[in-house]
């Protein structure tokens, strides 16, 4: 298959260079049948490529037919408005299948999915469609989603099956169950990530209880993220981690939608943030790798752009010749895994594009890195006996060029560094919780205290000033029924206390109504504002403070709410299970797949070289 793609790309290149238009005479007659001149052309190019003439002729004829189909489709679109979509099917259905589909662009995504399912024999609910590197949205029209004439659509199948499975009802039923489980898994993934991202976006998050919401740099220290971007970044990183988990299990059809969603959310983050961490670059590699493993690389029109973007991001993040990375970590051995994958994919893309010289160059770069990253299994065993994990052993040996003693020291030092960083981060969080408790002791809610501390960069005195200057923040309660029960009428004793402090009786009563009888908060606010309440502070107890009326239906809904909460907990836990414990998990690979693919494509390149020498 790869060799055929190379021949197609090379022949297309020759046709462009020679300015040959296959859809015109003498290669196509007036009836759109093949002309005799095509055989001479095949002879010329087969001699040039040292390939079988029949095979070259067959591929040129395929190119000619596609050119005619495209021309017919273009004319049809101009006159009728009916667009042609090129549908890329899963590998098992590719042979002898017509992959062109005609449709109007005003239909919805759901209608297109139905049409594809009916035309190519899928079950509608168990496929996903990817167009322009985005999942097709079922409720919007194709036109609204930027789908145009001659666009490429890739079909992802949620169930793995063979055509003869349909003959056996029991096996088909099992497959349907498998597909339903995968679809539910995708929906749980989305729900779980939305919950985590929402928690990250709100300052109500307790970092002591939610360490998985921390975003760290290459040293392991937390990064302060603007609130406006935190949710998008959390969704991007969450979808990426989930996609990587599916990649590890080789479930590429489910991994790709997650990776594409991650790409969408990363694009909402500022450029400076993306240059701080290497996640975005790694994501570009993962997307191209996923297309390649799905045998749909031709569907990714901008594979070259994504790989160049990854290379640029690595340069911005790691520095020229990796000097920033070496300065931070002391070495760049582990990150070489990423460059091996980058060079391999660049080699594959160039080979599929007919650029044999560039393909050879990148593949040899990948092979060289593979040699450098090879790990002696006996050395891994030595480190395992010292109490390290296999993952730590691989990462340590690559960081230390295979030296066992140095690797052991490196792993130990890294453990100590991370332990110290975690200790410092824990101390920061402890101080933050103490400050929250102090503000709560003054009568403020947890939510209000957290918002004020966030705005004050953790400074307790500044946070208190913010709260006093913005008494409406006190209304940010914790959705606790007990705190929602406000005092309808302040007690005379509390009013007298404020009058004794020198405040006007009517103002004192109004302040106590606003702060639900909290004398301390009322006194602090009045003192901070010169004996009166801020004019923008709502004084009516009915203003958005009234607790919701309790009705029989509310009680009946308790069980339903509990069930929803359980489902949310399950969705979140499923996400957390896929977040790796080791912060450098994305750098750990046995490189077994890469080794086989490098050997495969280098053999194709060597065959080309041999043919060229004979020529």
């Amino acid at each position: 298959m790869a060799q055929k793609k190379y021949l197609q790309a090379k022949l297309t290149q020759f046709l462009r260079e020679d300015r040959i238009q296959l859809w015109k005479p003498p290669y196509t007659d007036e009836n759109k049948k093949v002309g005799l001149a095509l055989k001479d052309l095949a002879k010329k190019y087969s001699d040039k490529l040292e390939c079988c003439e029949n095979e070259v002729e067959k591929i040129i004829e395929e190119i000619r037919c596609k050119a005619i189909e495209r021309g017919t489709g273009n004319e049809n679109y101009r006159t009728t408005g009916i667009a042609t979509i090129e549908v890329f099917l899963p590998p098992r259905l590719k042979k002898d299948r017509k992959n062109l589909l005609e449709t109007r662009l005003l239909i919805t995504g759901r209608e297109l999915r139905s049409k594809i399912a009916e035309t190519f024999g899928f079950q509608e609910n168990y496929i996903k469609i990817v167009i322009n590197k985005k999942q097709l949205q079922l409720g919007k029209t194709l036109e609204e989603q930027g789908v145009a004439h001659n666009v490429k659509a890739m079909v992802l199948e949620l169930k793995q099956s063979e055509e003869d499975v349909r003959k056996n009802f029991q096996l088909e039923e099992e497959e349907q169950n498998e597909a339903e489980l995968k679809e539910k898994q995708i929906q749980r993934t989305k729900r779980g990530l939305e919950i985590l991202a929402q928690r990250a976006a709100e300052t109500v998050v307790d970092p002591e209880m939610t360490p998985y919401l921390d975003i760290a740099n290459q040293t392991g220290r937390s990064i302060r993220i603007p609130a406006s971007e935190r949710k998008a970044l959390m969704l991007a990183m969450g979808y990426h981690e989930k996609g990587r988990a599916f990649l590890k299990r080789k479930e590429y059809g489910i991994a790709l939608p997650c990776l594409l969603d991650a790409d969408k959310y990363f694009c909402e983050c500022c450029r400076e943030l993306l240059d701080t961490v290497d996640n975005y670059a790694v994501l570009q590699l993962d997307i191209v790798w996923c297309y390649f493993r799905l045998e749909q690389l031709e569907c990714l029109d901008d594979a070259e752009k994504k790989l160049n973007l990854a290379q640029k991001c690595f340069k911005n993040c790691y520095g020229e010749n990796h000097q920033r990375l070496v300065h931070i970590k002391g070495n760049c051995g582990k990150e070489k895994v990423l460059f091996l994958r980058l060079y391999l994919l660049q080699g594959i893309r160039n080979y599929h594009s007919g650029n044999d010289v560039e393909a050879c160059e990148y593949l040899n770069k990948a092979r060289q890195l593979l040699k450098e990253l090879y790990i002696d299994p006996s050395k891994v065993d030595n480190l395992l006996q010292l109490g390290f994990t296999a993952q730590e052993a691989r990462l340590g040996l690559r960081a230390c060029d295979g030296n066992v003693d140095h690797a052991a020291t490196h792993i130990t030092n890294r453990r100590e560094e991370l332990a110290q960083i975690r200790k410092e981060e824990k101390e920061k969080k402890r101080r933050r919780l103490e400050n929250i408790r102090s503000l709560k002791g003054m009568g403020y809610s947890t939510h209000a205290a957290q918002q004020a501390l966030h705005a004050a960069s953790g400074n307790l005195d500044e946070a208190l000033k913010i709260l006093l200057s913005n008494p409406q923040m006190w209304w940010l309660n914790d959705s606790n029924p007990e705190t929602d029960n406000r005092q309808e009428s302040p007690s005379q004793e509390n009013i007298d206390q404020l009058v004794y402090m020198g405040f006007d009786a009517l103002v004192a009563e109004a302040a106590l109504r606003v702060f639900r009888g909290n004398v301390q908060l009322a006194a602090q606010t009045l003192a901070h504002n010169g004996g009166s309440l801020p004019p923008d502070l709502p004084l009516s107890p009915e203003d958005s403070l009234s607790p919701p009326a309790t009705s029989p239906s509310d009680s009946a809904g308790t069980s339903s709410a509990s069930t929803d909460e359980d489902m949310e907990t399950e969705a979140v836990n499923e996400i957390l299970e896929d977040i790796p414990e080791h912060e450098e998990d994305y750098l750990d690979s046995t490189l077994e797949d890469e080794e086989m693919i490098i050997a495969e494509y280098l053999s194709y390149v060597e065959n080309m070289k041999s043919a060229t020498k004979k020529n």
Side-chain angles (χ1 to χ4, degrees):
M1 179 60 73
Q3 289 166 305
K4 182 180 178 182
K5 287 178 182 176
Y6 169 78
L7 276 177
Q8 286 172 332
K10 205 69 182 173
L11 289 168
T12 302
Q13 199 177 88
F14 290 163
L15 291 167
R16 282 203 197 99
E17 289 170 358
D18 295 341
R19 297 185 178 181
I20 289 173
Q21 298 176 319
L22 292 175
W23 59 94
K24 293 182 178 180
Y27 309 104
T28 300
D29 63 22
E30 63 276 8
N31 297 317
K32 296 184 180 179
K33 300 293 184 183
V34 60
L36 295 175
L38 189 136
K39 189 172 281 291
D40 296 332
L41 191 65
K43 175 74 169 63
K44 173 185 171 182
Y45 289 155
S46 63
D47 289 343
K48 194 172 181 179
L49 290 168
E50 283 288 318
C51 291
C52 171
E53 184 178 336
N54 288 338
E55 187 177 357
V56 170
E57 184 179 351
K58 184 178 177 183
I59 293 174
I60 293 177
E61 172 60 6
E62 286 178 7
I63 295 171
R64 188 191 72 84
C65 290
K66 282 188 178 179
I68 292 172
E69 282 180 341
R70 194 176 184 89
T72 304
N74 291 342
E75 182 62 31
N76 190 37
Y77 180 62
R78 279 192 294 269
T79 56
T80 67
I82 296 176
T84 300
I85 293 178
E86 190 172 2
V87 181
F88 288 77
L89 304 173
R92 71 177 185 87
L93 294 174
K94 273 185 160 182
K95 292 182 180 179
D96 304 321
R97 302 289 297 211
K98 183 175 175 61
N99 295 345
L100 294 180
L101 192 72
E102 292 185 339
T103 181
R104 293 193 179 275
L105 299 178
L106 294 177
I107 68 170
T108 64
R110 180 172 283 103
E111 289 173 305
L112 177 63
R113 186 182 69 168
S114 297
K115 199 167 186 178
I116 288 174
E118 182 181 352
T119 303
F120 299 108
F122 295 106
Q123 293 187 45
E124 182 181 340
N125 293 329
Y126 302 145
I127 58 172
K128 287 189 177 293
I129 313 298
V130 174
I131 298 179
N132 294 332
K133 301 175 291 297
K134 294 176 183 176
Q135 282 191 71
L136 188 68
Q137 296 182 49
L138 302 181
K140 291 185 177 182
T141 67
L142 304 186
E143 199 170 57
E144 288 173 332
Q145 298 181 66
V147 177
H149 174 57
N150 283 333
V151 78
K152 295 176 180 177
M154 183 170 71
V155 179
L156 298 175
E157 202 173 14
L158 296 183
K159 63 175 185 177
Q160 305 298 317
S161 63
E162 300 297 335
E163 291 182 9
D164 61 343
V165 166
R166 299 172 188 267
K167 299 174 185 177
N168 188 310
F169 176 78
Q170 185 177 356
L171 287 177
E172 185 174 337
E173 188 175 28
E174 288 174 2
E175 275 199 335
Q176 288 183 13
N177 292 337
E178 179 191 348
E180 286 171 3
L181 286 172
K182 286 183 178 179
E183 177 59 27
K184 287 178 182 177
Q185 190 176 22
I186 290 171
Q187 295 307 318
R188 283 199 306 273
T189 293
K190 289 189 174 183
R191 181 61 187 141
L193 287 171
E194 285 168 3
I195 294 167
L196 288 179
Q198 191 59 41
R199 290 179 185 176
E202 296 172 353
T203 53
V204 74
V205 172
D206 181 350
E208 185 72 15
M209 301 299 293
T210 54
Y212 47 79
L213 294 181
D214 267 357
I215 299 170
N217 61 17
Q218 289 158 0
T219 65
R221 296 187 183 278
S222 296
I223 301 173
R224 188 176 175 83
I225 306 295
S228 59
E229 295 183 23
R230 190 173 179 86
K231 183 174 181 180
L233 187 60
M234 281 299 303
L235 282 168
M237 296 176 72
Y239 274 114
H240 191 187
E241 286 297 348
K242 195 67 183 177
R244 284 182 57 77
F246 287 127
L247 280 180
K248 286 180 184 177
R249 298 195 283 268
K250 301 189 186 299
E251 295 183 71
Y252 304 111
I254 306 180
L256 185 58
C258 292
L259 298 175
L260 294 176
D261 280 338
D263 197 32
K264 177 181 72 175
Y265 287 112
F266 265 124
C267 289
E268 295 178 14
C269 301
C270 68
R271 185 78 256 165
E272 292 77 11
L273 180 61
L274 298 183
D275 287 342
T276 307
V277 290
D278 56 9
N279 304 65
Y280 191 51
V282 175
L283 174 64
Q284 304 309 306
L285 294 186
D286 288 338
I287 289 174
V288 180
W289 181 258
C290 201
Y291 271 96
F292 168 65
R293 298 302 278 176
L294 286 166
E295 299 181 28
Q296 302 279 26
L297 204 52
E298 65 268 39
C299 245
L300 190 61
D301 294 327
D302 65 346
E304 181 179 13
K305 180 182 173 184
K306 285 193 172 296
L307 294 174
N308 289 340
L309 179 59
Q311 194 160 15
K312 182 182 176 183
C313 287
F314 283 138
K315 182 180 177 181
N316 292 338
C317 185
Y318 296 159
E320 194 75 44
N321 299 320
H322 309 160
Q323 65 262 52
R324 186 183 301 161
L325 185 64
V326 173
H327 176 72
I328 293 171
K329 291 189 173 182
N331 66 82
C332 60
K334 291 171 283 190
E335 280 72 15
K336 286 181 180 178
V337 167
L338 301 176
F339 288 91
L340 185 151
R341 174 79 57 97
L342 173 64
Y343 296 148
L344 173 56
L345 288 171
Q346 285 174 323
I348 292 169
R349 192 207 67 79
N350 274 287
Y351 180 79
H352 285 191
S353 301
N355 304 324
D356 40 318
V357 175
E358 292 86 349
C360 185
E361 180 186 339
Y362 282 118
L363 290 169
N364 279 319
K365 276 187 176 182
R367 178 167 60 179
Q368 180 57 39
L369 277 180
L370 183 66
K371 290 177 182 176
E372 294 176 21
L373 293 168
Y374 171 75
I375 296 174
D376 185 343
S378 64
K379 293 181 178 180
V380 175
D381 290 337
N382 289 340
L383 290 170
L384 290 175
Q385 290 173 14
L386 294 175
F388 302 120
T389 66
Q391 187 176 62
E392 285 178 320
R394 283 191 295 269
L395 291 169
L397 287 167
R398 283 178 180 148
C400 300
D401 297 322
N403 187 300
V404 175
D405 294 335
H406 291 174
T409 303
H410 171 83
I411 298 169
T412 302
N413 290 343
R414 185 60 182 155
R415 280 183 173 184
E416 291 172 356
E417 286 170 12
L418 287 174
Q420 181 61 30
I421 290 170
R422 290 190 186 109
K423 183 178 177 182
E424 292 171 8
E425 294 292 326
K426 190 173 182 180
E427 177 58 23
K428 284 182 189 175
K429 292 167 186 174
R430 187 192 65 77
R431 285 198 301 270
R432 185 171 181 273
L433 289 174
E434 278 187 2
N435 290 341
I436 290 171
R437 281 194 288 269
S438 297
L439 292 173
K440 284 180 69 178
M442 298 177 192
Y444 295 103
S445 69
T446 301
H447 198 153
Q450 287 176 328
Q451 278 206 0
L453 284 166
H454 181 77
S457 300
N459 185 296
L460 180 61
D461 294 334
E462 289 298 317
L464 184 56
K465 288 180 184 177
I466 290 170
L467 288 167
L468 290 172
S469 300
N470 300 276
Q472 64 271 20
M473 289 181 70
W474 182 78
W475 295 35
L476 297 171
N477 60 51
D478 299 323
S479 301
N480 187 331
E482 292 181 9
T483 63
D484 283 342
N485 292 330
R486 75 188 140 67
Q487 187 173 330
E488 286 294 335
S489 182
S491 69
Q492 189 60 46
E493 181 183 353
N494 288 347
I495 295 173
D496 291 343
Q497 284 187 52
L498 292 178
V499 171
Y500 181 76
M501 295 178 194
F503 301 116
D504 179 81
L506 289 176
V507 175
E509 183 177 357
L512 287 168
R513 283 185 182 278
V514 169
F515 293 108
R516 302 176 191 172
N518 190 310
V519 176
Q520 185 178 7
L521 277 179
Q524 286 176 340
T525 303
L526 291 173
H528 188 76
N529 290 277
S532 61
L533 287 172
D536 59 339
L537 193 66
L539 302 180
S540 170
E542 280 73 30
D543 287 353
S544 73
L545 282 174
S546 299
T550 304
S551 67
S553 61
D554 292 331
S555 302
T558 305
S559 175
S560 174
S562 176
T563 303
D564 289 344
E565 195 172 307
D566 290 342
M567 290 175 68
E568 287 191 356
T569 301
E570 181 185 342
V572 170
N573 287 340
E574 194 168 299
I575 296 295
L576 298 182
E577 285 173 7
D578 282 326
I579 296 179
E581 291 184 14
H582 200 290
E583 75 284 355
E584 293 182 326
D585 177 81
Y586 70 105
L587 300 175
D588 177 41
S589 172
T590 62
L591 299 179
E592 291 173 356
D593 287 347
E594 287 83 350
E595 183 178 11
M596 288 189 292
I597 295 166
I598 288 171
E600 178 187 352
Y601 275 83
L602 277 173
S603 70
Y604 299 153
V605 172
E606 291 302 321
N607 290 340
M608 288 189 307
K609 284 183 179 178
S610 300
T612 304
K613 285 177 183 176
K614 287 177 185 177
N615 192 29

